[in-house]
Amino acid sequence: MDRDRSRARAGGSDESIYRIPPFYYIHVLDQNTNVTRVVIGPKTYIRQDNERVIFGPEKMITVPPRHYCIVENPAIRGEDGSITLDQHGQVRLNHADQEIRLAQEPFPLYSGEVLKQVVSPLKVVTANTALRLRAILDFEDDTGTKKVAGDEWLFEGPGTYIPKKEVVVDETIRATIIRPNQAIKLRARKETLARDDTPRVTGEEWLVKKVGAYLPGAYEEVIDVVDAYVLTDKKALHLRATRTFKDQGDKLRRNGEEWLIKVEDAETYIPNVYEEVVGVVPITTLTNRQYCVILDPVGQDGKPQLGQKKLVKGEKSFFLQPGEKLEKGIQNVYVLGEDEGVILKANEAFKDEGVDRKPGDRWMIRGPAEYVPPVEVDVVTKRKAIPLDENEGIYVRDTKTGKVRAVTGETYMLTQDEELWAKELPPAVENLLQSHKDPLADRSDRSGAGGPVRQREKTKVVTFRVPHNATVQIYDYKEKKARVVYGPELVMLGPDEQFTQLSLSGGKPKRPNVIKSLVLLLGPDFCTDIITIETADHARLQLQLSYNWHFEVKDKTDKQEAAKLFSVPDFVGDACKAIASRVRGAVASVQFDDFHKNSAKIIRASVFGLDERQKVRDRFMFPQNNLIITSIDIQSVEPVDQRTRDALMKSVQLAIEITTNSQEAAAKHEAERLEQEAKGRLERQKILDEAEAERARKELLELQANSAAVESTGQAKAEAQSRAEAARIEGEAAVQQAKLKAEAARIEAESELERLSRARESETKYLSEQNTLEITKVKEMADIEVEKFRNMVSAIGADTIRAIAVSGPEMQVKLLQSLGLKTTLITDGSSPINLFNTAHGLIGANALQAPGKPHSTADSDDD
């Protein structure tokens, strides 16, 4: 634009001269009258002194076809389209107004006019699209319809929308495609008339199910696209009414009512706007081995029977109605074997196969049988017979009397008034029962029983295998009696019996309550203890003693003698204490040297005592529990006092030193002797090796001489032999090669002959089979044609064929007779006719027809 302006002024040197090109204009202000006028080119304008160019040169506005622009404050035009001026000569304007200008000649903007919107293309509305228009001023459209400000309507495509100053475009609406088994949900924004001419109120919703493109109206809005639910034999639709209305079957549905839509009602179903889909209900299928109980069943009148139950047995398939639910799901029929049963409980009074049952009654049904419990009965539990061996058992409690008993050695099924009873044992006893190891295997080193291996079934009878040469004590708290069982034996505890647990001393030195055990081993066995003693000269020593012991049981049937075995709870600790006391008393009266020399005799005499002959006895017995100590072994004697330990160490070191020196001298003498013997053997071996080397050197020289002679005479011989061998090998190779070539030629010839023979045989066989097929085909076709002709003849009939054959000549004769002809000859002119012998036959009403294409000539009576 600036370039055009400079070009317009370039013609003159004076700034008052304006050269206005074509389709350009300027605004000139007359400063005397304060009126602005428009000067349009092409023109050379000379500005007066009282004038001033306030705008331009500016290019005119060009609106091409299918375009528009908006001019604000447009100039007022007359009826003939001319510009209207006021009394001052100023262009009159419609202030605050707008004018939409379409394609026209280029035009200038007058003073005060403003181009609000530049030239823009008109909006093209495609098919299935519309513009929602809204009136902002009252006006009448092209059809004479009066529009009020605020009205809305659609401009539907295809078409080109020409804008108006009274109308604004709110939005572009595109049609919604409705596919099969689909619908769209619409809502009215205000009272309107729908496309199906149905009046709709504000806020009303409805469905459109017609397949195709649907363009919503001006006061319609698409809420959602609803897909149809496909119903099958195994699915139904659960619906709920959100308000009272009539459904598609013209049935009145009240607000909150629920119902099912099945495949019998519709294969596909689109819910109404007042129908809420609660969910898809799958079919409930029962086999002939299943049943179910329905709570709150729906009656024949369609109303739920609240609080009632309904038993449904298989084989059956059904849908649960709204409000119905299964009590415990689909249950299997109770199939009871011979060793099975069910415990039943009546929850209301009813009559069961002639037996009156009251609420709370319990009874059992035993197999073999099939049982389906009615709705008045609850299945408490299912029982199965428990097979028990002679060494197995269970604890059974009677729920009416509370008595507990043990059942062993039979197959037993609990009745309706019995239950399994769990026998509790102390935790220490539980651990000892679950341990697989014998806790008394090593009483001196064992610190306790092993950990638990597996959990005990508390309802089973507690069993314990008493090992060989051992015993256990069992106490019955109900009878207040104890019994002792000797091994090997299997102990089975009654409901009120418990094991007597032994708590023995262990470790070195002995500590109480280290070993826990249920069994008491009768021995023989041993235990080790460490005691501290002091001699008469106050030498304190520490002894490690080992005792062999066993229990003496003369009569295992004697209950008093058996009870004595468990009379001392910790027999190990008591025995070790008693023996240690005797040893300390005996050692306290002797000197250290005497004890060091005669320690074994002193200790054995102090424990076992001396008999009448002053000899040490061979046993020491504890009469309280018949424990017998048979021997004592002194494993170690160590001084506790440091001075005594040092003196013993010094004497021991001196003895060790004397022994070491003597051994060292003997070893040295022996080493010197061995050294001299080795030197003699070495010298002798050296002389033998030199003699052997000389003999080997002599043999080497002889071999070298022989080798030189052989080398001189053998080279020529080897060359001659090699040439002869090479010639022989070459000849044999040529012979072998010729044989192989002949063999290869023979194989190729035989293979080619065999190939040709097989090819000829295959070709001959193929031609033979082809000829056979062709003959068969021709024969069968001939048979078909014969059969076809025979069937046609039989279907038409002989009389009909004869009538068809003679129908032509007869019709011709009748035709000629109708024409009044006496004699007729019909021929095609190419076949000769002998009339000498047949002329008399031509006279009359008969006609002759020669073979060939018919050609007729007729003679009248005149001829």
Side-chain angles (χ1 to χ4, degrees):
M1 185 182 297
D2 296 337
R3 186 170 61 251
D4 294 337
R5 291 176 182 173
S6 61
R7 187 168 56 247
R9 293 175 178 164
S13 60
D14 191 356
E15 294 183 356
S16 61
I17 299 175
Y18 289 86
R19 301 185 184 276
I20 305 173
F23 300 109
Y24 278 77
Y25 68 97
I26 61 174
H27 287 180
V28 180
L29 174 62
D30 190 344
Q31 296 181 352
N32 292 336
T33 61
N34 203 24
V35 173
T36 302
R37 59 188 176 91
V38 176
V39 179
I40 300 175
K43 189 175 182 181
T44 300
Y45 176 72
I46 300 174
R47 180 176 61 83
Q48 303 297 323
D49 292 338
N50 61 336
E51 293 177 343
R52 185 165 61 90
V53 177
I54 61 175
F55 184 74
E58 188 70 24
K59 190 175 183 181
M60 292 184 182
I61 298 174
T62 302
V63 182
R66 302 190 63 80
H67 285 69
Y68 75 100
C69 66
I70 300 177
V71 177
E72 191 174 5
N73 304 327
I76 299 175
R77 298 178 183 271
E79 296 180 357
D80 56 353
S82 60
I83 300 298
T84 304
L85 304 177
D86 58 7
Q87 66 272 17
H88 304 292
Q90 181 72 35
V91 176
R92 298 180 63 184
L93 303 176
N94 282 329
H95 294 282
D97 197 3
Q98 293 180 357
E99 180 182 351
I100 296 176
R101 299 180 183 179
L102 303 175
Q104 55 182 289
E105 293 293 330
F107 61 90
L109 291 178
Y110 291 92
S111 177
E113 291 183 337
V114 177
L115 186 63
K116 184 176 182 181
Q117 181 173 335
V118 298
V119 178
S120 303
L122 294 174
K123 185 173 293 185
V124 177
V125 183
T126 59
N128 295 329
T129 310
L131 300 178
R132 186 157 64 85
L133 307 178
R134 178 167 51 85
I136 57 177
L137 295 175
D138 297 346
F139 74 102
E140 289 186 1
D141 58 8
D142 299 338
T143 61
T145 304
K146 187 175 181 181
K147 301 290 185 182
V148 182
D151 285 351
E152 295 182 3
W153 67 97
L154 295 182
F155 178 81
E156 300 182 8
T160 302
Y161 172 68
I162 299 176
K164 297 180 180 295
K165 65 179 182 179
E166 300 89 355
V167 179
V168 295
V169 179
D170 283 345
E171 63 176 338
T172 301
I173 301 175
R174 289 179 172 79
T176 303
I177 305 301
I178 304 176
R179 295 182 175 84
N181 295 329
Q182 274 188 346
I184 59 173
K185 183 188 292 187
L186 302 175
R187 180 190 294 141
R189 296 192 294 113
K190 63 176 293 186
E191 295 183 2
T192 182
L193 192 66
R195 290 189 180 274
D196 56 355
D197 296 332
T198 303
R200 303 292 182 180
V201 298
T202 304
E204 183 179 357
E205 297 180 356
W206 69 97
L207 293 179
V208 176
K209 301 180 181 178
K210 185 178 179 181
V211 177
Y214 182 83
L215 191 63
Y219 297 110
E220 299 174 359
E221 59 178 346
V222 179
I223 301 176
D224 192 12
V225 177
V226 182
D227 292 326
Y229 289 87
V230 179
L231 303 179
T232 62
D233 295 336
K234 297 182 180 180
K235 290 194 300 184
L237 199 60
H238 184 186
L239 302 177
R240 181 190 295 126
T242 57
R243 57 168 288 182
T244 302
F245 74 103
K246 287 187 177 181
D247 61 3
Q248 300 178 10
D250 203 21
K251 184 177 181 180
L252 182 64
R253 300 291 185 181
R254 300 193 177 275
N255 189 6
E257 183 180 354
E258 297 182 2
W259 67 97
L260 289 182
I261 300 295
K262 304 177 183 177
V263 70
E264 294 85 2
D265 303 326
E267 294 182 357
T268 58
Y269 189 80
I270 299 177
N272 200 313
V273 292
Y274 303 120
E275 294 175 346
E276 178 186 0
V277 178
V278 180
V280 176
V281 180
I283 194 170
T284 302
T285 303
L286 302 178
T287 64
N288 57 356
R289 318 303 299 166
Q290 293 178 333
Y291 73 96
C292 65
V293 177
I294 300 177
L295 302 178
D296 304 332
V298 175
Q300 297 294 335
D301 55 354
K303 296 182 180 179
Q305 302 173 2
L306 301 178
Q308 296 189 13
K309 298 181 180 180
K310 179 181 178 182
L311 177 65
V312 180
K313 300 180 182 179
E315 180 175 339
K316 193 172 184 181
S317 296
F318 60 93
F319 289 101
L320 287 177
Q321 297 293 329
E324 294 181 344
K325 59 181 179 180
L326 299 181
E327 184 178 19
K328 295 180 181 178
I330 298 176
Q331 305 179 60
N332 294 324
V333 175
Y334 289 91
V335 180
L336 305 177
E338 294 182 356
D339 58 343
E340 293 179 328
V342 288
I343 306 297
L344 306 177
K345 180 180 179 182
N347 51 30
E348 59 180 281
F350 75 104
K351 198 167 186 178
D352 179 22
E353 297 180 358
V355 180
D356 292 332
R357 302 290 184 183
K358 297 180 181 180
D361 284 353
R362 294 167 63 101
W363 69 99
M364 173 182 278
I365 293 180
R366 294 177 179 267
E370 291 184 2
Y371 183 72
V372 177
V375 294
E376 300 86 2
V377 174
D378 288 338
V379 177
V380 179
T381 182
K382 184 176 180 180
R383 292 282 171 83
K384 186 175 179 65
I386 303 174
L388 301 174
D389 194 10
E390 294 180 357
N391 298 330
E392 295 178 334
I394 56 174
Y395 297 110
V396 179
R397 180 188 181 95
D398 194 324
T399 57
K400 289 186 177 180
T401 63
K403 184 178 180 181
V404 181
R405 61 190 179 94
V407 179
T408 59
E410 61 175 321
T411 300
Y412 187 76
M413 181 184 293
L414 299 176
T415 65
Q416 65 272 12
D417 297 324
E418 293 179 343
E419 63 179 2
L420 292 175
W421 181 74
K423 181 178 179 62
E424 298 292 340
L425 295 176
V429 177
E430 289 279 5
N431 292 335
L432 293 174
L433 286 175
Q434 294 172 10
S435 175
H436 292 288
K437 296 181 180 181
D438 182 10
L440 291 180
D442 186 0
R443 276 141 203 83
S444 61
D445 300 327
R446 182 64 58 89
S447 60
V453 177
R454 54 186 176 88
Q455 189 67 25
R456 177 180 67 88
E457 295 185 21
K458 297 183 179 181
T459 57
K460 288 189 176 182
V461 171
V462 179
T463 60
F464 182 75
R465 299 184 184 275
V466 183
H468 176 70
N469 200 26
T471 181
V472 295
Q473 186 182 42
I474 301 171
Y475 186 79
D476 191 336
Y477 285 90
K478 185 177 181 180
E479 300 292 336
K480 296 183 179 179
K481 293 181 180 180
R483 60 187 177 100
V484 177
V485 179
Y486 294 94
E489 184 64 48
L490 179 68
V491 177
M492 303 179 70
L493 292 187
D496 301 309
E497 290 182 337
Q498 294 287 345
F499 287 104
T500 298
Q501 181 182 353
L502 299 178
S503 182
L504 306 178
S505 298
K508 300 177 187 178
K510 288 292 182 283
R511 301 188 307 275
N513 302 324
V514 174
I515 300 174
K516 306 292 183 181
S517 176
L518 298 179
V519 298
L520 177 64
L521 296 181
L522 300 179
D525 207 336
F526 71 94
C527 65
T528 304
D529 192 14
I530 297 176
I531 62 176
T532 302
I533 61 175
E534 185 174 357
T535 60
D537 53 357
H538 304 291
R540 299 182 71 239
L541 303 175
Q542 189 176 33
L543 302 180
Q544 182 172 342
L545 305 178
S546 177
Y547 316 120
N548 291 338
W549 58 267
H550 69 275
F551 285 96
E552 187 176 47
V553 181
K554 296 179 180 180
D555 187 6
K556 293 185 178 181
T557 61
D558 190 351
K559 295 183 179 180
Q560 293 182 357
E561 186 176 356
K564 289 176 63 177
L565 298 175
F566 293 89
S567 61
V568 180
D570 187 5
F571 72 92
V572 175
D574 291 349
C576 290
K577 288 179 182 179
I579 293 174
S581 176
R582 290 190 172 213
V583 171
R584 290 192 190 96
V587 174
S589 60
V590 298
Q591 298 293 328
F592 173 73
D593 292 337
D594 295 338
F595 176 75
H596 189 66
K597 296 176 181 178
N598 305 310
S599 58
K601 182 178 181 181
I602 294 172
I603 292 175
R604 288 176 57 84
S606 64
V607 175
F608 298 122
L610 301 175
D611 57 6
E612 297 82 3
R613 294 176 296 178
Q614 297 300 316
K615 291 186 177 181
V616 179
R617 294 189 177 93
D618 57 354
R619 56 186 292 173
F620 173 55
M621 180 177 181
F622 293 90
Q624 294 83 1
N625 57 353
N626 292 337
L627 176 65
I628 297 176
I629 306 299
T630 57
S631 65
I632 297 177
D633 180 23
I634 304 173
Q635 294 181 345
S636 66
V637 179
E638 296 181 0
V640 179
D641 188 17
Q642 186 64 34
R643 290 179 300 172
T644 306
R645 189 187 299 272
D646 293 341
L648 286 176
M649 185 66 67
K650 187 178 297 183
S651 62
V652 170
Q653 288 178 356
L654 182 59
I656 292 173
E657 185 178 356
I658 293 172
T659 304
T660 302
N661 291 335
S662 63
Q663 291 178 354
E664 184 180 356
K668 186 176 181 182
H669 183 270
E670 183 68 20
E672 291 178 353
R673 185 182 66 81
L674 294 176
E675 183 180 0
Q676 292 297 327
E677 291 180 356
K679 285 182 179 180
R681 287 197 299 270
L682 180 60
E683 291 295 335
R684 183 179 179 183
Q685 185 65 33
K686 185 176 179 180
I687 295 170
L688 294 175
D689 291 343
E690 290 179 354
E692 187 67 27
E694 289 297 329
R695 285 196 297 270
R697 189 177 295 107
K698 178 182 178 182
E699 292 177 358
L700 176 62
L701 293 175
E702 291 177 354
L703 291 175
Q704 285 179 352
N706 294 332
S707 176
V710 171
E711 183 179 359
S712 60
T713 59
Q715 183 175 1
K717 184 179 180 181
E719 290 180 357
Q721 289 179 352
S722 62
R723 284 195 297 271
E725 186 68 20
R728 184 183 62 80
I729 293 173
E730 185 176 356
E732 290 179 355
V735 173
Q736 186 68 20
Q737 184 178 6
K739 290 181 179 180
L740 293 176
K741 286 183 179 181
E743 184 68 20
R746 184 184 61 80
I747 293 172
E748 288 180 359
E750 289 178 355
S751 62
E752 181 65 21
L753 179 60
E754 185 178 359
R755 185 185 67 79
L756 292 175
S757 300
R758 290 184 179 179
R760 296 296 181 268
E761 290 177 0
S762 299
E763 184 177 1
T764 305
K765 185 178 179 181
Y766 170 74
L767 293 175
S768 176
E769 292 178 355
Q770 188 175 12
N771 295 335
T772 303
L773 292 175
E774 187 67 26
I775 293 170
T776 305
K777 176 181 178 183
V778 172
K779 184 177 179 182
E780 291 179 354
M781 290 297 295
D783 294 341
I784 292 171
E785 290 295 330
V786 171
E787 185 67 23
K788 176 181 177 183
F789 184 75
R790 184 183 294 111
N791 294 335
M792 290 174 60
V793 170
S794 61
I796 298 174
D799 296 338
T800 305
I801 295 173
R802 189 188 65 80
I804 293 172
V806 302
S807 61
E810 289 180 355
M811 288 182 64
Q812 292 176 0
V813 171
K814 290 180 181 181
L815 178 62
L816 294 176
Q817 289 178 354
S818 65
L819 296 175
L821 298 178
K822 300 298 183 178
T823 302
T824 304
L825 176 63
I826 301 172
T827 179
D828 56 357
S830 61
S831 299
I833 300 175
N834 187 0
L835 299 178
F836 292 101
N837 295 327
T838 59
H840 64 276
L842 296 175
I843 300 173
N846 295 329
L848 292 177
Q849 182 176 356
K853 183 177 180 181
H855 178 72
S856 63
T857 59
D859 294 333
S860 63
D861 293 339
D862 297 337
D863 296 336

